Amino acid sequence: MKAIRIYEFGEPEVMRIVQVERPVPAPDEILVKVYAASVNPADYIIRRGGNEALKPLLKLPMGLGIDGAGIVEEVGSEVTEFKKGDRVYGVPNYLDGSYTEYLAAKATQFALMPRSLSFNEAGSLPACARMAYNGMVEKAKVQPGHRVLVHGAAGGIGSLAVQFAKAYGAYVIGTASAHNADFLKQLGADEVIDYNTQKFEHVVSDIDVVFNATPTTTVDEALRLRSVPVLNEGGIFVCTHGVWPSELFKGLLAKKKATVSMAGVDVNHHKIFTEVAKLIDLGKVKAVVNKVYPWERAAQAHHDSETKHVRGKIVLQIYQED
């Protein structure tokens, strides 16, 4: 089979499509013929050699890609929830990569994909959906009457966080550039703040949930500190990056009896992806695909992703849907 591999860390051009051995599923795994995989910030972080947490885990040569959608080709002897031919979406085993024609992964990391979506649409969802759903629904426990502020609302995680908050009855305010305002209102945002011309802390207050989905960690601490004054007593700040907040930030939250939580930690993938599929098939949430590239053009897809100004997700198409 063919798969994208890197033999050195570096720019997008280090990615190569090569012939590798097709994996054999373990008893608790499924073999998935991958039709589509999405491009996530984690992909180019890994491609460059990783951050401090990832560096010790990365071993060349290696694959890339942390989510995808396709058809079950084989099931392991212990798997009962799937059968051959099922259309599924989910995440590969850690660091195995989804830019590949076939992947073997734990069955618990996949679910039946939304019936109403194509493979390209479903493949755009899992990595971001697990962060947005876990953070907004399971950690923040968003509910009717809550006022929610989503930073980086137009990106892959942010656009889903906005939709999950609305699906659960919240009043949602998003920060984004002006050209994404109409897009976010179409997704359900009640207000959109242009971060280029307004400081959110000057125009919003009484926030129950602050959800940080900005695509970069370089502004995280300043953004966190600026967010404290807008939070209600007992509110929650949800992080989507692996950089834990400072003691200063946590101390300021404690004065307001507010808390901080990290999205995407210790998640039940199968449960989340099943619940997300239900919301999508009910028409309450939609997949936002920015652009679809044939996987032969993965380098260009990575260049686009690294601009950090992508609305929704970029998808690599591996097989054409019948």
Side-chain angles (χ1 to χ4, degrees):
M1 71 170 196
K2 293 179 182 177
I4 287 181
R5 292 285 186 268
I6 60 171
Y7 295 82
E8 61 182 312
F9 297 117
E11 295 304 307
E13 288 70 25
V14 300
M15 292 184 288
R16 293 163 49 191
I17 296 180
V18 297
Q19 288 286 342
V20 298
E21 191 172 341
R22 189 167 113 168
V24 176
D28 61 348
E29 293 182 335
I30 56 175
L31 181 71
V32 178
K33 181 179 180 180
V34 182
Y35 275 68
S38 79
V39 177
N40 292 276
D43 299 332
Y44 57 75
I45 290 171
I46 291 169
R47 192 203 71 232
R48 293 171 179 167
N51 51 28
E52 285 186 20
L54 284 170
K55 276 186 197 303
L57 305 174
L58 304 183
K59 232 182 237 189
L60 294 169
M62 64 179 298
L64 293 173
I66 60 172
D67 60 2
I71 294 177
V72 174
E73 192 77 10
E74 296 178 33
V75 298
S77 58
E78 297 173 3
V79 175
T80 58
E81 59 266 48
F82 298 113
K83 64 183 185 303
K84 182 176 180 177
D86 281 343
R87 295 161 64 94
V88 296
Y89 74 143
V91 298
N93 295 338
Y94 190 58
L95 296 177
D96 273 5
S98 59
Y99 298 179
T100 179
E101 290 185 311
Y102 293 89
L103 65 80
K106 301 287 186 187
T108 53
Q109 294 166 195
F110 276 75
L112 296 175
M113 63 184 247
R115 295 185 303 274
S116 55
L117 296 189
S118 67
F119 286 119
N120 287 339
E121 291 168 322
S124 75
L125 289 166
C128 290
R130 70 176 169 188
M131 299 292 285
Y133 189 93
N134 175 252
M136 188 65 75
V137 179
E138 298 180 336
K139 300 287 175 62
K141 301 188 187 324
V142 66
Q143 58 191 270
H146 272 173
R147 285 172 56 83
V148 173
L149 174 64
V150 179
H151 293 307
I157 296 174
S159 60
L160 287 169
V162 167
Q163 294 183 80
F164 292 145
K166 285 304 295 182
Y168 280 80
Y171 184 91
V172 182
I173 304 164
T175 66
S177 58
H179 92 280
N180 283 319
D182 288 342
F183 161 69
L184 287 171
K185 287 179 178 176
Q186 289 168 10
L187 294 183
D190 297 286
E191 297 179 40
V192 180
I193 298 169
D194 177 5
Y195 58 69
N196 290 310
T197 61
Q198 291 180 295
K199 290 193 173 181
F200 66 86
E201 63 269 35
H202 293 170
V203 292
V204 301
S205 59
D206 300 318
I207 298 297
D208 299 292
V209 179
V210 174
F211 188 101
N212 181 20
T214 53
T216 177
T217 59
T218 56
V219 297
D220 268 10
E221 184 62 11
L223 191 67
R224 289 164 177 160
L225 295 175
R226 290 168 56 204
S227 296
V228 174
V230 310
L231 263 175
N232 284 333
E233 184 167 315
I236 184 170
F237 185 102
V238 179
C239 304
T240 60
H241 296 307
V243 181
W244 194 245
S246 68
E247 293 303 316
L248 171 62
F249 175 71
K250 289 188 282 187
L252 292 173
L253 285 183
K255 290 179 182 178
K256 303 187 83 166
K257 297 183 173 61
T259 56
V260 60
S261 185
M262 187 71 71
V265 179
D266 298 323
V267 300
N268 183 328
H269 290 96
H270 181 78
K271 177 187 173 187
I272 287 176
F273 298 151
T274 299
E275 291 304 313
V276 170
K278 290 177 185 174
L279 290 170
I280 288 172
D281 285 335
L282 286 171
K284 294 185 176 182
V285 174
K286 66 180 181 179
V288 180
V289 175
N290 178 278
K291 195 166 185 178
V292 177
Y293 283 100
W295 72 323
E296 293 86 356
R297 295 182 62 198
Q300 183 59 53
H302 271 228
H303 278 298
D304 286 1
S305 180
E306 289 181 71
T307 66
K308 298 183 177 66
H309 292 293
V310 175
R311 179 188 290 179
K313 294 297 292 293
I314 293 172
V315 173
L316 299 180
Q317 182 174 279
I318 297 167
Y319 284 104
Q320 288 270 2
E321 189 158 2
D322 295 335

